[in-house]
Amino acid sequence: MITIKSPREIELMKKSGALLANVHKELRSFIKEGVTTWDIEVFVRDYIESHGGIAAQIGFEGYKYATCISVNDEICHGFPKKIKLKNNDLVKVDMCIDLNGAISDSCWAYVVGVASEDVKKLMAVTRKALYLGIEQAQVGNRTGDIGYAIQQYVEKEGYSVVRDFIAHGIGPTIHEEPFFAHYGEKGKGTCLKEGMTITIEPMVNIGTWQMKMEPNGWESKTLDGSLSCQYEHSLAITKEGPVILTSQGEEETY
């Protein structure tokens, strides 16, 4: 069932999203060579809890951690580990926060040290794909319009869009209807209505879009070992256009 949020509920989700955005801002300086993804997990959980929030991913469908941290060819749902990050590693940190009952969800990508040109371009294309999708999140449009805009741009750049993981509604729980892909046809899918809250989270690979699952049933990697990147925002559908609930401020331009 799709839940329509009241203005008050959206304001509460904005506050949750602001806390999540602040975590990502702090990670810009925290992520560096020699840091482990377990260090990131501890930092994120401590930050969330010390600011009155709950790390909402813990216990969700049996997941054990506050973060999903996926490095290089890992697409998503990577477990935090005690392996040190090295120069040019591409690190995607995904998290959900419950603040006073309001849920937010956002993933951001970081590069360790000095980025290679391949990594720079992949990050730029994935980030722009996110905002092209957000531009389509208008009252009266359909979820297929979002997927179409993302797919057309990504494939024009010579990359591929992951097809096995999807975007979703958010609130009152982490995963709500509608569920939709980051590829597809214009005019297809769920019609977007004022008061809906959704995520858009394209995962873009340098090589094939195909993936493989690790034995733990959570972690996924690109089938060909190529790099994968992800950016994600939570947003509200309003008459004035999409409102990003997890905005970090300056990153809305590209």
Side-chain angles (χ1 to χ4, degrees), residues 200-212:
I200 300 177
E201 47 187 300
M203 302 166 207
V204 176
N205 299 344
I206 285 182
T208 178
W209 58 264
Q210 294 174 301
M211 52 141 294
K212 57 186 176 183

Side-chain angles (χ1 to χ4, degrees), residues 19-109:
L19 174 57
L20 199 160
N22 285 338
V23 181
H24 278 305
K25 289 177 184 178
E26 293 294 327
L27 288 177
R28 297 176 192 176
S29 57
F30 185 82
I31 294 175
K32 60 186 69 173
E33 286 188 78
V35 168
T36 69
T37 55
W38 182 254
D39 294 331
I40 298 171
E41 162 75 10
V42 172
F43 176 85
V44 167
R45 183 169 182 177
D46 287 350
Y47 190 99
I48 292 170
E49 293 178 351
S50 67
H51 288 78
I54 297 169
Q57 287 180 171
I58 298 175
F60 179 71
E61 297 183 354
Y63 194 74
K64 298 180 180 180
Y65 308 105
T67 58
C68 296
I69 307 177
S70 307
V71 181
N72 295 330
D73 65 332
E74 294 175 332
I75 297 171
C76 63
H77 304 153
F79 290 180
K81 304 176 181 70
K82 295 183 178 180
I83 299 172
K84 292 182 179 181
L85 296 171
K86 60 186 185 301
N87 186 65
N88 198 47
D89 276 343
L90 177 56
V91 184
K92 294 82 67 175
V93 183
D94 192 359
M95 70 188 85
C96 298
I97 292 178
D98 180 337
L99 183 65
N100 299 320
I103 302 290
S104 56
D105 184 5
S106 178
C107 178
W108 217 247

Side-chain angles (χ1 to χ4, degrees), residues 158-205:
Y159 298 150
S160 63
V161 178
V162 172
R163 301 192 176 197
D164 296 272
F165 299 101
I166 55 178
H168 53 88
I170 184 166
T173 64
I174 292 173
H175 286 172
E176 297 275 330
E177 294 181 359
F179 299 98
F180 59 97
H182 297 97
Y183 65 96
E185 298 180 48
K186 285 183 178 181
K188 302 289 186 180
T190 303
C191 184
L192 300 175
K193 298 179 180 179
E194 182 181 6
M196 290 173 62
T197 49
I198 63 173
T199 70
I200 300 177
E201 47 187 300
M203 302 166 207
V204 176
N205 299 344

Side-chain angles (χ1 to χ4, degrees), residues 3-19:
T3 59
I4 301 298
K5 312 302 188 301
S6 68
R8 176 182 173 277
E9 288 171 315
I10 290 173
E11 284 303 312
L12 289 172
M13 292 180 74
K14 275 185 185 178
K15 291 178 181 178
S16 178
L19 174 57

